[in-house]
Amino acid sequence: MNRREAIGSISLGGGASVLASGELLAGALSPNAAAGFEQAVRGTAAVKIRDIKTILTAPNRIRLVVVKVETTEPGLVGWGCATFTQRALVVQTAINEYLRPFLIGRNVDEIEDIWQSSYMSSYWRNGPVLFNAMSGVDIALWDIKGKRAGMPLYQLLGGKVRHGADCYYHASGASFEEVEKNARAGMERGFRHVRVQVGTPGYASYGARSTAPSTTPTAAGDDVVGPTNPRAIWEPAPYCRMLPKFFEHLRTKLGDEVELLHDVHERVTLTEAINLCKSLEPYGLFFLEDPFPPEENDHFRLLRQQTSIPIAMGELFNTQHEYLPLIKDRLIDFIRIHISQIGGLSPARKVQALSEYFGVRTAWHGPGDASPLAHAAQLALELASYNFGVHEGGTFAQETQDVFVGCPEIKNGYMLAQERPGLGIEVDEKVAAKFPIPAGPTNFDYSWGTTRRSDGTVIRP
Ligand code: GCO
Ligand code: MG
């Protein structure tokens, strides 16, 4: 019986008897086909998880959490991003003390089941620490899957629908002129999208050099910030008054072509956001990001009824309870999730697919505290998904490129696929060790929890 006859008999229902005695068919097939058949019938010639390691490294002074999944196949390893930069040590413990013993010996191919069982393994679930820990393993397993398939990850996700992912450049400054100059620098490098952040004169500001008067502590114990001793002061009213003038300046100087983005960073009330959006409508923003914190998700329904400004939201989201309502009710235009905060590539590709049906595009969170591994995972999704919006991030610092060998290339404002199996990045552990995470407050700490209103009330970031 030759191969075609064997397969013919299976399709005609003779399969059962032949399958029962796999050897028969296997015997009929060429050695390679036989091996493939064996594997298919008996399941994956299981490559197992041999070990899971956590690498903490801080190139460019940004604390990153990297997961290395080692397998029973010599030389086959996967890399994943578990970066919760503000709580890196807690994520490391969650991986080393809990996920590692739970997953050693598992079949590397069972990515979805490993995600679901890890999710259930803590009984109490969700939250940034456990999801970042799971994300590190999840993205590493996808890296391994791509390497086993001998394909770049975007190929496993459906192949290219675009040649590159359009990126947005970060331009910030303490004055309109300084931001204008930095925005021009990004445009000259080929970026069509520029995020613009300016300091509110006299106040601590997000995403821009602050011009607030420095308030060095005078008396002992005076450095402990509290409601009666506010230090970094921020007020919404001067910011909301300043912003339309800022965009007027930029549109006058830079013209209408460049796509401008701005991050409110969750700092205004509902009515402030409505008035702000109305005052910015004439400037044709690509998107206005995070007007509200997740705690005030219900404001979006009201904001949506009042303005046509494209809205982006979501870097602080952890669970589906936060992002599903905004997507299914079409209350936002761009979903901004930090993919490791929801558990990695497996949940992110579900969010991407779901969002397509509600006209929501992706703009995954991608500043310095998303490692190149997260950027590569996002890029794979962005190259293979129809509802791509924009990719955050203009460059990888040299130190970062030295640790993450094979960072995606950015050319003419596009992040380009690395045509290598898996994520296309290998972490140089020796170089990573040269950037131990420093003790003390994180540098990516825009004074979270310490920025306050003039009356001492702490603000949401
Ligand atoms: C962004 C974000 C970041 C966050 C930072 C927190 O849009 O890129 O808002 O700047 O503040 O990632 O660690
Ligand atoms: Mg943001």
Side-chain angles (χ1 to χ4, degrees):
M1 178 191 293
N2 63 29
R3 184 171 188 283
R4 185 179 304 286
E5 285 155 353
I7 292 174
S9 78
I10 290 179
S11 57
L12 292 171
S17 56
V18 173
L19 278 179
S21 52
E23 298 70 28
L24 265 183
L25 177 60
L29 299 175
S30 68
N32 289 355
F37 176 76
E38 275 302 313
Q39 204 176 353
V41 171
R42 300 192 188 296
T44 311
V47 172
K48 311 258 179 174
I49 295 178
R50 188 170 56 73
D51 199 357
I52 297 177
K53 296 204 170 101
T54 309
I55 298 161
L56 300 184
T57 181
N60 194 29
R61 295 181 333 103
I62 302 176
R63 289 169 172 74
L64 304 174
V65 184
V66 170
V67 169
K68 179 183 186 182
V69 171
E70 297 178 347
T71 75
T72 51
E73 186 168 306
L76 177 61
V77 303
W79 303 99
C81 183
T83 300
F84 178 7
T85 197
Q86 288 84 358
R87 296 292 178 273
L89 300 174
V90 197
V91 175
Q92 180 186 40
T93 304
I95 297 164
N96 293 358
E97 303 304 325
Y98 299 99
L99 278 187
R100 180 177 175 276
F102 182 70
L103 295 175
I104 284 184
R106 289 292 308 265
N107 177 334
V108 295
D109 282 336
E110 297 167 348
I111 301 179
E112 182 63 20
D113 181 78
I114 284 174
W115 196 93
Q116 296 292 349
S117 54
S118 299
Y119 181 48
M120 309 305 175
S121 68
S122 55
Y123 187 58
W124 278 273
R125 44 195 177 267
N126 297 312
V129 171
L130 297 178
F131 271 158
N132 270 282
M134 288 166 59
S135 165
V137 174
D138 182 72
I139 296 175
L141 292 174
W142 278 102
D143 188 25
I144 289 169
K145 181 80 81 174
K147 286 170 177 170
R148 282 168 56 71
M151 290 181 187
L153 209 46
Y154 73 80
Q155 291 289 20
L156 293 186
L157 298 171
K160 281 183 185 165
V161 299
R162 55 188 57 80
H163 62 80
D166 228 334
C167 293
Y168 68 85
Y169 182 82
H170 281 212
S172 66
S175 69
F176 294 5
E177 292 69 23
E178 190 183 347
V179 180
E180 176 201 337
K181 184 169 73 51
N182 293 333
R184 257 185 228 296
M187 293 159 72
E188 276 144 25
R189 288 178 48 199
F191 290 93
R192 288 156 291 282
H193 300 75
V194 179
R195 183 186 91 159
V196 287
Q197 305 291 136
V198 68
T200 308
Y203 291 94
S205 303
Y206 160 72
R209 198 157 44 75
S210 165
T211 56
S214 71
T215 48
T216 39
T218 48
D222 188 13
D223 55 349
V224 179
V225 174
T228 56
N229 174 23
R231 175 86 13 81
I233 307 290
W234 192 83
E235 281 293 335
Y239 165 75
C240 292
R241 281 194 297 273
M242 170 202 70
L243 219 55
K245 299 188 185 96
F246 173 51
F247 277 93
E248 177 64 31
H249 174 91
L250 293 177
R251 280 296 180 217
T252 311
K253 299 290 183 183
L254 302 174
D256 293 335
E257 287 302 308
V258 59
E259 297 283 7
L260 296 177
L261 299 73
H262 179 75
D263 192 345
V264 178
H265 223 258
E266 308 104 13
R267 292 183 174 203
V268 293
T269 63
L270 174 58
T271 44
E272 284 163 348
I274 291 171
N275 294 329
L276 187 60
C277 286
K278 287 178 186 292
S279 69
L280 295 179
E281 276 172 5
Y283 303 107
L285 273 67
F286 182 79
F287 72 52
L288 189 75
E289 176 183 345
D290 291 1
F292 310 121
E295 293 82 356
E296 290 160 357
N297 255 5
D298 291 346
H299 283 352
F300 283 96
R301 189 172 305 289
L302 304 162
L303 180 66
R304 197 60 155 173
Q305 291 157 4
Q306 298 278 342
T307 180
S308 60
I309 271 203
I311 302 285
M313 177 66 183
E315 67 186 52
L316 282 170
F317 287 164
N318 284 120
T319 84
Q320 65 221 56
H321 307 301
E322 294 167 307
Y323 48 81
L324 266 184
L326 297 188
I327 294 172
K328 75 173 180 53
D329 297 342
R330 305 165 193 269
L331 299 177
I332 57 173
D333 302 279
F334 297 90
I335 185 72
R336 280 277 293 143
I337 286 172
H338 184 102
I339 68 169
S340 66
Q341 289 288 3
I342 64 167
L345 181 56
S346 294
R349 72 194 183 99
K350 296 171 187 173
V351 173
Q352 175 270 314
L354 173 86
S355 301
E356 183 179 329
Y357 292 106
F358 297 97
V360 175
R361 289 179 282 168
T362 63
W364 306 110
H365 187 237
D369 57 328
S371 80
L373 297 163
H375 279 274
Q378 288 163 209
L379 176 64
L381 259 181
E382 293 161 350
L383 291 172
S385 54
Y386 186 69
N387 57 323
F388 163 66
V390 71
H391 185 109
E392 177 175 10
T395 53
F396 294 107
Q398 190 49 51
E399 289 180 357
T400 308
Q401 294 186 47
D402 297 343
V403 173
F404 299 89
V405 181
C407 282
E409 188 195 356
I410 298 169
K411 214 167 167 193
N412 185 26
Y414 288 108
M415 190 177 276
L416 304 176
Q418 313 107 295
E419 300 298 351
R420 290 185 295 276
L423 287 171
I425 295 178
E426 295 302 317
V427 176
D428 186 323
E429 295 178 71
K430 288 204 183 63
V431 179
K434 291 193 184 136
F435 304 103
I437 68 167
T442 65
N443 77 300
F444 233 81
D445 189 340
Y446 294 120
S447 321
W448 316 129
T450 54
T451 304
R452 292 172 176 272
R453 302 283 302 272
S454 315
D455 70 359
T457 313
V458 70
I459 70 161
R460 287 194 175 124

